[in-house]
Amino acid sequence: MKTGVEVKKVIHQLVQQLINQAISAQLMEKQDEIYARNKILSLLHLTEFKEAEAAGETGQDIPDLLEQLIEYACAHKVIEDIFDDKEIFSSKLMNCLIPRPSAVNRLFFEKYHQSPESATEYFYEFSKNSNYIQMKRIRNNIEYKVDTDYGEIDITVNLSKPEKDPRSIELEQTMEKTDYPKCLLCVENEGYAGRIGYPARSNHRMIRVDLLGEDWYLQFSPYIYYHEHCILLSEKHTDMKICPTTFLQIITFVEQFPHYFVGSNADLPIVGGSILSHNHYQGGHYEFAMAKADSDWTFEMSGFPDVKCSIVKWPMSVIRLHSEQISALVEAGAHILKQWQNYSDDTLGIISRTGETPHNTITPIARKNGDVFELDLVLRNNRTSDAHPLGIFHPHEDVHHIKKENIGLIEVMGLAVLPARLKVELEQVQKFILGEIHHVADYHSAWAEELKVRYKDVANQANVEVLVREEVGKKFLKVLEDAAVFKRDEKGKAGFYRFIRTLDME
């Protein structure tokens, strides 16, 4: 057991090492060292610091140092040993080491004048080094690619979000309800300490972006799924709404940041994202399989001679528009949106509305290639039926054992975000194929039996993981096919042609 003097020496070393790492990561200046140290000492309820005791360097990363400081804080009753308190304390520690939002924005736009890429690279590294993006947790995710007829799709089993302890869950149920911040995306989250049941954001920073004269904010997702996975959010807490302004905003954004794509979840339940109460977009510096996909066929809209139009070779129903002129692209997109919102085809189960309830909407994505802007419009419909109570154009029951959740923007583009339960369950399926176990989760049993028969002569310890991963990729393709309003069979293609013909009708 360490003596009090030894504990003090260790904690002083940890504090100094954290500061050294922050300086090395360019989160702070050397001249701010004493100020930052005193802020951290205050949080730890320490009243002195001996530099001689703090000598020595272990080379530990910031997340590891934070974990040790949190252990000290719990052991010395500075905070309670519960998940939310530890998250809040960790965020507060990092906030001692990073500049205020105005300074972050100033440096961002200094770099922007060099190039937009330099600006976002700086902010991305800053967000990771400040532990707002918790890379240590994100590295736990299982990530791989599967080759398909549509290109390489991305598969991610999301293991980055830790489970809360029972005490945190219990306390959350007793907390007084508050509407501040109104949601997880609101600008009031910047620097917000957090509380039981609400994430810590002391180390959160946002970039101010002018979008058509309105104030918008750029941040990175704390649980990134691809390179520079960003969120662009409105200052106003208003519901998401896909409209012509949406197209103009996302195209204007990629005009400012031409190395990024940006898109929106659909604005209706079932086919929309998890947060429909705050207008926002997602983007990043990444090229998805859908962006690389070729055209199936092209068409023209006589009212828009400056816009090239095509149908994308993709499991879902995607119209791609190209133009060098932003106004022409927005007007063409608006025309298609209006037509789609009022379009029905009973033979394909597409009904535009039930009474006053709309069913048709669009998932839009914008990007820029050289001087040409691209606008992808993914046609969506959120109807349900007795046969498909979760959605007709939603993952069907035969794939729910792999993916049951909404198909949002990220999935639409070809990245499957799969639940954490699959880590263990897919390992069990692999063992089942090899005959090492004789039972799997009930909802996997039929699939596992099918794979066991298919691979009985080829599966072995060396290749079974790859085989199962490829089969998961096939399941995800089926998920996307289920979400297509116009299937890629002859009936669906004929239906797509019928809709496209309406775009030229007066």
Side-chain angles (χ1 to χ4, degrees), residues 264-491:
S264 175
N265 278 309
D267 55 349
L268 297 180
I270 296 178
V271 295
S274 57
I275 300 178
L276 298 180
S277 61
H278 195 122
N279 196 18
H280 70 285
Y281 308 126
Q282 293 185 77
H285 195 186
Y286 191 74
E287 190 174 32
F288 289 89
M290 194 182 87
K292 302 175 187 177
D294 294 330
S295 297
D296 246 356
W297 43 280
T298 62
F299 65 95
E300 295 180 355
M301 291 190 293
S302 58
F304 304 95
D306 295 320
V307 179
K308 295 181 179 179
C309 314
S310 63
I311 303 302
V312 180
K313 183 184 176 184
W314 191 245
M316 294 184 71
S317 307
V318 187
I319 298 172
R320 178 166 292 164
L321 307 178
H322 297 80
S323 182
E324 294 183 11
Q325 300 180 18
I326 292 177
S327 60
L329 204 57
V330 171
E331 290 172 8
H335 175 63
I336 294 171
L337 174 64
K338 183 178 179 181
Q339 288 294 110
W340 176 243
Q341 286 174 328
N342 297 290
Y343 184 79
S344 295
D345 187 335
D346 291 352
T347 65
L348 298 176
I350 300 169
I351 298 174
S352 63
R353 60 186 65 247
T354 303
E356 297 299 316
T357 303
H359 296 306
N360 285 356
T361 187
I362 279 175
T363 299
I365 303 111
R367 65 186 74 86
K368 191 178 185 188
N369 289 319
D371 294 328
V372 177
F373 293 95
E374 287 183 0
L375 181 63
D376 285 353
L377 304 175
V378 188
L379 307 182
R380 313 297 302 274
N381 177 286
N382 79 340
R383 284 187 63 232
T384 61
S385 67
D386 291 339
H388 301 292
L390 297 184
I392 297 170
F393 304 103
H394 177 84
H396 292 175
E397 191 172 356
D398 62 318
V399 296
H400 284 179
H401 66 109
I402 296 295
K403 178 71 173 177
K404 188 177 182 179
E405 299 79 14
N406 289 10
I407 303 307
L409 173 70
I410 294 172
E411 285 88 1
V412 163
M413 295 184 294
L415 191 159
V417 181
L418 304 179
R421 62 177 172 83
L422 288 177
K423 179 182 187 297
V424 172
E425 293 174 2
L426 294 179
E427 289 171 355
Q428 291 173 342
V429 170
Q430 293 168 27
K431 291 178 181 179
F432 182 85
I433 292 171
L434 296 175
E436 296 176 2
I437 62 174
H438 302 290
H439 299 283
V440 295
D442 288 344
Y443 43 78
H444 288 309
S445 59
W447 180 57
E449 289 282 4
E450 177 191 331
L451 298 185
K452 187 172 184 178
V453 172
R454 184 184 307 164
Y455 294 119
K456 65 178 181 178
D457 296 326
V458 296
N460 55 52
Q461 289 285 356
N463 68 9
V464 68
E465 181 181 66
V466 172
L467 294 175
V468 171
R469 286 184 170 189
E470 288 177 351
E471 293 296 331
V472 170
K474 293 176 184 177
K475 284 286 183 178
F476 180 56
L477 273 188
K478 175 62 166 54
V479 164
L480 297 181
E481 289 166 355
D482 288 345
V485 292
F486 297 111
K487 309 305 181 189
R488 292 184 59 80
D489 54 19
E490 291 306 313
K491 186 178 178 181

Side-chain angles (χ1 to χ4, degrees), residues 85-205:
D85 271 10
K86 291 189 285 189
E87 291 288 283
I88 290 168
F89 194 73
S90 175
S91 183
K92 286 181 176 179
L93 285 172
M94 285 310 304
N95 192 45
C96 297
L97 304 170
I98 62 176
R100 292 188 176 188
S102 58
V104 175
N105 274 261
R106 185 162 51 250
L107 186 51
F108 178 90
F109 283 105
E110 286 176 3
K111 293 184 177 295
Y112 182 87
H113 290 307
Q114 300 171 20
S115 73
E117 292 93 332
S118 297
T120 59
E121 284 173 10
Y122 151 71
F123 188 46
Y124 189 54
E125 291 304 312
F126 172 88
S127 299
K128 290 189 293 184
N129 291 332
S130 67
N131 209 44
Y132 176 72
I133 301 175
Q134 298 197 32
M135 290 303 298
K136 184 175 181 179
R137 291 178 181 173
I138 290 166
R139 292 188 188 101
N140 292 326
N141 289 347
I142 298 171
E143 299 177 350
Y144 61 95
K145 294 179 181 290
V146 174
D147 196 24
T148 74
D149 291 340
Y150 303 96
E152 282 191 329
I153 59 172
D154 295 289
I155 308 291
T156 295
V157 178
N158 183 13
L159 303 172
S160 59
K161 193 171 184 179
E163 293 186 10
K164 290 193 175 187
D165 52 72
R167 178 63 176 146
S168 285
I169 297 171
E170 180 185 342
L171 285 172
E172 187 174 338
Q173 295 170 348
T174 65
M175 291 294 292
E176 182 180 348
K177 302 299 180 185
T178 175
D179 63 353
Y180 183 88
K182 290 186 178 68
C183 78
L184 293 170
L185 293 178
C186 282
V187 295
E188 288 81 11
N189 285 281
E190 188 174 45
Y192 185 65
R195 58 181 185 270
I196 301 296
Y198 195 95
R201 293 290 182 259
S202 292
N203 57 336
H204 183 27
R205 300 294 184 264

